[in-house]
Amino acid sequence: MRALFACLFFSFLVACSTTKEEINEADIIIYGGTSSAVTAAVQAKKMGKSVIVVSPDIHLGGLSSGGLGFTDTGNKAVIGGLAREFYHRVYLHYTQDSAWKWQKREEYGNKGQGTPAIDGDNRTMWIFEPHVAERIFEDFVRENQLKVHRDEWLDREKGVVKENGKIVSIQTLSGKKYKGKVFIDATYEGDLMAAAGVSYHVGREANSVYGETWNGVQVGVFQHRHYFMDSISAYRIPGDPSSGLLPEISSDPPGKNGEGDHRLQAYNFRMALSKNPDNRIPFPKPSNYDSNRYELLARVYAAGWNETFWKFDPIPNLKTDTNNHGPFSTDYIGKNFDYPEASYTRRREIIQEHEDYQKGLMYFLANDVRVPEKVRNELANYGLAQDEFTDNGNWPHQIYVREARRMVGAYVMTEQDVLGAKSVPQSVGMGSYSLDSHNTQRFVTPGGFVQNEGDIGVHPEKPYSISYGTLVPKKEECTNLLVPVCVSSSHTAFGSIRMEPVFMILGQSAAVAASLSIDERIAVQDLGYEKLKKVLVEEKQVLEN
């Protein structure tokens, strides 16, 4: 009897100590912490809707605040709405004398990517430091009193509840539940979209799927300078296959040109480096550093390559947005293929592998005698910026997920849409950047030499419209979800769409569509385009040339 009483008493204590399930409700639930997520939330609030941003990230802004400060603008005239407001706020920040701590304003110059960094006539600035971008996104949150729940990770296995083709709620690994009328997946990975049972693609489609030219395998296509221009042996002992391959070379055959595969364009980190001696720290040596994994780069130097600093692009205060350039650089080629669908644990491993590789590369460049002395001496002027990413060892908190899942939705954008070969219906924004894919693999040629594959850069003749159908799933799959980042497009079209200004544009347009659909109590696929267009124009989105 005493034992029974003890058991019942213990059960009572457990029941009393168990917290009640936390349920959060809003008209619109946005999953993600990217720049697209923030603009979507701001727009939803502007339209009188309650909104909660459920962010797996602690820092908001994705790549825009994660090191990509040398903006891929394309034609800036087609960047409107809240995206343009973001770049206007960048401009306002740098008009302040206090913004120029490490460099005089007049010493900065005005170099941007295809456009001046500072556009005084239009009061916009396209080049910026990471912490400045993050501050602007936080200003958006504060000014609009946005609810942002950070470090909340979707339960991808059982956290999405659907009824009658609609998402009813999502739940995070912490146990928090979020109920909404419309959901927006604004992640780089498309996790909510996938967990909701929406169709998607990972990798490159064959050219035959959509009648394209620049999709699929592209062996022998060299449109940038990210390939081996000299014949460099792929083997540890040059010319001796029995000695084995050098590190960072795949033994898999590259495949036939035009055929599809599972491969993804390479990821890297966009480092913020400083040239100011009072604001830089030396490149750290990873604990697992092995100089031999960079032997291939040593051979590139030995062959006479001299383009090390071509993509050390200047941003204010004597800093750089440092990106991949050349045949062997910060892109960790071929090491991300399982990332889109990997578990959170495996993704963290992949991210750490990329960090170790890139930190090791910078340490190698700064210290190894196989690197030309001229390069080492120049690199001695650089280090990680001490005032950036201060809670992450001055390393970017966001890996550059150039491509992961891509929805197969109501309308699939292809290279024909981007290159102007066909008319795009129901525009919700515009893009203008080139079909841009980084390398996907590094392989051995029949002659025993090393080569890269997958780097594409084909420029549209003019800006192009992006269809509303790219933001919505097929109606039979989900009627209350919009996807402004992992949009419905082919690999090659996504190479142009995947720019941060475009993600901001599409996030805002997705929120307009979500709000109007809620007002009319209809599926997002049934929203009348003329009503949508009217509001988008009022919100200063640019929809056509």
Side-chain angles (χ1 to χ4, degrees), residues 225-251:
R225 297 182 67 81
H226 309 317
Y227 62 95
F228 292 85
M229 291 170 259
D230 298 284
S231 296
I232 295 176
S233 178
Y235 305 112
R236 293 180 184 273
I237 299 175
D240 181 6
S242 66
S243 66
L245 291 172
L246 287 171
E248 314 308 339
I249 302 175
S250 173
S251 60

Side-chain angles (χ1 to χ4, degrees), residues 136-251:
I136 292 170
F137 288 121
E138 292 294 349
D139 286 345
F140 279 139
V141 170
R142 176 179 49 81
E143 293 166 13
N144 293 277
Q145 299 181 320
L146 299 176
K147 291 183 179 179
V148 181
H149 292 196
R150 304 172 198 245
D151 199 21
E152 292 291 342
W153 298 79
L154 177 68
D155 182 341
R156 292 157 57 191
E157 297 300 320
K158 56 182 185 298
V160 177
V161 176
K162 286 177 69 180
E163 293 178 3
N164 300 319
K166 295 177 64 174
I167 301 174
V168 176
S169 66
I170 64 173
Q171 187 165 327
T172 57
L173 294 177
S174 70
K176 294 179 182 177
K177 181 176 286 188
Y178 298 88
K179 291 185 175 181
K181 297 173 182 176
V182 175
F183 292 76
I184 296 176
D185 183 342
T187 62
Y188 290 122
E189 295 83 4
D191 284 342
L192 174 55
M193 169 189 73
V198 170
S199 298
Y200 61 87
H201 190 86
V202 176
R204 299 182 289 188
E205 298 94 346
N207 276 324
S208 59
V209 174
Y210 298 117
E212 296 176 300
T213 300
W214 302 112
N215 211 333
V217 177
Q218 299 284 327
V219 172
V221 176
F222 306 125
Q223 295 179 339
H224 292 117
R225 297 182 67 81
H226 309 317
Y227 62 95
F228 292 85
M229 291 170 259
D230 298 284
S231 296
I232 295 176
S233 178
Y235 305 112
R236 293 180 184 273
I237 299 175
D240 181 6
S242 66
S243 66
L245 291 172
L246 287 171
E248 314 308 339
I249 302 175
S250 173
S251 60

Side-chain angles (χ1 to χ4, degrees), residues 224 226 228 248 264-271 293-294 296 311 322-336 353-355 357-359 361-362 399-402 436-442 452-456 498:
H224 292 117
H226 309 317
F228 292 85
E248 314 308 339
L264 295 169
Q265 57 178 309
Y267 298 171
N268 71 343
F269 289 93
R270 299 288 286 255
M271 297 178 295
R293 75 186 302 187
Y294 307 104
L296 187 54
K311 286 301 292 178
T322 299
N323 194 13
N324 178 82
H325 178 76
F328 191 108
S329 185
T330 59
D331 278 1
Y332 197 23
I333 298 173
K335 308 296 183 175
N336 60 342
E353 290 163 4
H354 279 69
E355 181 176 333
Y357 164 80
Q358 195 163 332
K359 283 183 174 177
L361 172 67
M362 300 311 294
I399 193 171
Y400 196 168
V401 180
R402 289 190 170 94
D436 184 69
S437 174
H438 282 232
N439 282 307
T440 63
Q441 58 180 326
R442 180 177 289 134
N452 297 334
E453 182 274 323
D455 190 86
I456 297 297
R498 65 176 182 83

